[in-house]
Amino acid sequence: MTTPGRGLHGRVLDTLGPAITAGEYPPGSVLRTDELAQGFEVSRSVMREAVRVLESMHLVASRRRVGVTVRPKCEWNVYDPQVIRWRLAGADRPHQLRSLTVLRSAIEPVAAGLAAQHATPEQCAELTECALGMVANSRGHRLEEYLVHDIAFHRVVLTASGNEMFARLGDVVAEVLAGRTHHEVMFEDPDPAAVTLHVQVAEAVREGDGARAEKLTREITVGALEELDILAP
Amino acid sequence: MTTPGRGLHGRVLDTLGPAITAGEYPPGSVLRTDELAQGFEVSRSVMREAVRVLESMHLVASRRRVGVTVRPKCEWNVYDPQVIRWRLAGADRPHQLRSLTVLRSAIEPVAAGLAAQHATPEQCAELTECALGMVANSRGHRLEEYLVHDIAFHRVVLTASGNEMFARLGDVVAEVLAGRTHHEVMFEDPDPAAVTLHVQVAEAVREGDGARAEKLTREITVGALEELDILAP
DNA sequence: CCCTCTCAAAAAGTCAGACTTATACGTCAC
DNA sequence: GTGACGTATAAGTCTGACTTTTTGAGAGGG
């Protein structure tokens, strides 16, 4: 994804980050830098850099004379893409997937509404292309090809919204969509109704109809919520 | 806010972070670790730790034989609370405040709807208390006292939603509300209509009326958007 | 003239060891 | 029991030497 082996401290993080986010060390656990360095067979400098990164993610707090203490889950920087990836890779996956899907359901409709106002002609064309790609791969178990276009579609919408906070959620949405295709439901072809909705969103954005784009996107995200059995009776 | 002087590397970040997020180094600029270390009069170890943190925020990328290059704005981890604080403290403030207010307008209504379903009796009580505090301080230039209750109110709503992603936006909303009171409009007493809306949201949540809580919160956020002249004609 | 291959310089990366500083905790006197 | 004091501990800092990767320049050949 990002960069596999970007230095020794990176490889330490690849092990330590998932371990912490998976809850292997309960909140308040104390780690010693020296012991960790020995355990990973790296120098203290390297281990210190790794700890600094974990600290910047608010996963741990380092205090003199005490050690490196694991912070409670509620203090983590849960929007850090790295943290999201670690959690999606671990036992927390289902819970994380639900949280992110709810987040999507709040963001994407608003983003689509803004995209209808701000999208450039190029972005409109790209959007239409993505929607057509989805249609073309919606039958015959072409799940991977469908996924590529689905991800691209939502990424364009978020970018075209013109809001940098929305735009940066493109990677998160990509992870959620990929996760759904690879590990959850979706054994057969995607819901035809969802495909149609994507085409209609592209239309609405092209026509500058923000209200319609928002409403249609809300229907898409409601579908995503229902797939995960997140709904109020 | 967090911890002022948590080590030398922290003090380096306090200078370097704001400088980068303010755009003082254009994207692609190359910094040398050794030169920076000399400039800040710290050892290379300390400077390396600082660079590692900036790297984990995707503000810079470190490559051998090249140096530490500043990444383009669109790649930054803009949800990192530290990055948000740095940007709010710099020249980017107005733009950042708008982005975050739009984000609020997408998140908070949905969060309020969920809070109506999931809020504990304690949270309902706390919410009512906050709303009453806002009413009590809505007249007579008691802006600071009003702000405290306003922040607490929105924090409770986000927490009570039961979604960890929403909950972690409490700090962001606090920054936005504080920013509005301290640096933007709001020279006189807050809008009475907004105060009433908060009281009604507390009611709706207490009664478990998610749809009403969502709708009322949407009115609140629309008001916030209008204050910043963000609206479509 | 252009292309490729080689090589050396440059900057990050790694390591080891010594030293400093803050602080939790135990001890002792009161 | 309460307070002041001292000590052990683990993080923090600094330094200097060494390694590794990568780029860009220059040599050589087509």
Side-chain angles (χ1 to χ4, degrees), chain A residues 2 22 33 48 54 103 110 124 137 142 145 172 200 205 218-219:
Chain A
T2 30
T33 310
R48 286 180 54 72
L54 295 174
L103 179 68
V110 177
C124 290
N137 294 290
R142 315 185 53 129
E145 294 87 344
V172 173
Q200 291 175 317
V205 170
R218 188 152 275 132
E219 289 184 43

Side-chain angles (χ1 to χ4, degrees), chain B residues 31-40 42-44 47-48:
Chain B
L31 312 172
R32 250 80 45 99
T33 310
D34 290 24
E35 288 184 10
L36 288 173
Q38 283 186 11
F40 284 103
V42 296
S43 66
R44 289 188 306 278
M47 185 47 87
R48 286 179 54 73

Side-chain angles (χ1 to χ4, degrees), chain B:
Chain B
M1 189 67 204
T2 32
T3 321
R6 62 285 189 222
L8 268 188
H9 90 281
R11 241 166 302 163
V12 171
L13 283 174
D14 288 340
T15 305
L16 202 49
I20 294 175
T21 54
E24 283 180 34
Y25 305 94
S29 302
V30 174
L31 312 172
R32 250 80 45 99
T33 310
D34 290 24
E35 288 184 10
L36 288 173
Q38 283 186 11
F40 284 103
E41 293 182 323
V42 296
S43 66
R44 289 188 306 278
S45 342
V46 169
M47 185 47 87
R48 286 179 54 73
E49 289 172 24
V51 168
R52 283 280 174 265
V53 173
L54 295 175
E55 198 179 28
S56 87
M57 296 168 172
H58 274 65
L59 296 182
V60 303
S62 180
R63 275 157 49 208
R64 271 186 162 131
R65 165 62 211 218
V66 171
V68 177
T69 64
V70 178
R71 307 183 91 160
K73 197 174 168 179
C74 64
E75 294 179 7
W76 297 351
N77 280 4
V78 288
Y79 285 89
D80 189 307
Q82 186 70 247
V83 173
I84 291 176
R85 238 170 285 135
W86 286 338
R87 296 183 66 187
L88 281 176
D92 219 13
R93 180 187 188 79
H95 179 251
Q96 174 79 139
L97 221 41
R98 282 161 178 271
S99 298
L100 293 176
T101 302
V102 173
L103 179 68
R104 274 190 66 196
S105 75
I107 297 289
E108 292 207 63
V110 176
L114 289 172
Q117 297 170 28
H118 300 128
T120 66
E122 292 76 27
Q123 287 170 329
C124 289
E126 207 177 339
L127 210 56
T128 305
E129 206 171 325
C130 291
L132 291 180
M134 291 176 69
V135 172
N137 294 290
S138 62
R139 290 170 182 277
H141 295 279
R142 315 182 54 126
L143 292 181
E144 283 304 323
E145 295 87 342
Y146 178 84
L147 175 62
V148 170
H149 290 94
D150 195 9
I151 288 175
F153 181 93
H154 290 275
R155 205 187 284 278
V156 172
V157 169
L158 290 167
T159 304
S161 73
N163 184 302
E164 59 187 355
M165 305 301 288
F166 290 170
R168 277 300 280 171
L169 289 176
D171 293 337
V172 173
V173 172
E175 297 275 2
V176 173
L177 292 175
R180 183 176 57 167
T181 300
H182 295 146
H183 298 269
E184 310 291 320
V185 290
M186 278 267 184
F187 304 110
E188 41 195 55
D189 291 341
D191 179 11
V195 180
T196 305
L197 282 170
H198 282 79
V199 175
Q200 292 175 317
V201 168
E203 275 176 19
V205 169
R206 205 167 47 235
E207 295 167 4
D209 189 342
R212 182 155 169 260
E214 180 171 342
K215 185 170 174 298
L216 290 164
T217 304
R218 188 152 276 131
E219 289 183 43
I220 293 176
T221 57
V222 164
L225 290 172
E226 284 171 350
E227 274 181 7
L228 295 178
D229 300 317
I230 309 173
L231 69 172

Side-chain angles (χ1 to χ4, degrees), chain A residues 134-151:
Chain A
M134 292 176 70
V135 172
N137 294 290
S138 62
R139 291 171 181 276
H141 295 279
R142 315 185 53 129
L143 292 182
E144 284 305 324
E145 294 87 344
Y146 179 85
L147 176 63
V148 170
H149 290 95
D150 195 9
I151 288 175

Side-chain angles (χ1 to χ4, degrees), chain A residues 52-65:
Chain A
R52 283 280 173 265
V53 172
L54 295 174
E55 199 179 27
S56 87
M57 295 170 174
H58 274 64
L59 296 182
V60 303
S62 179
R63 274 156 52 208
R64 268 185 162 136
R65 166 62 211 223

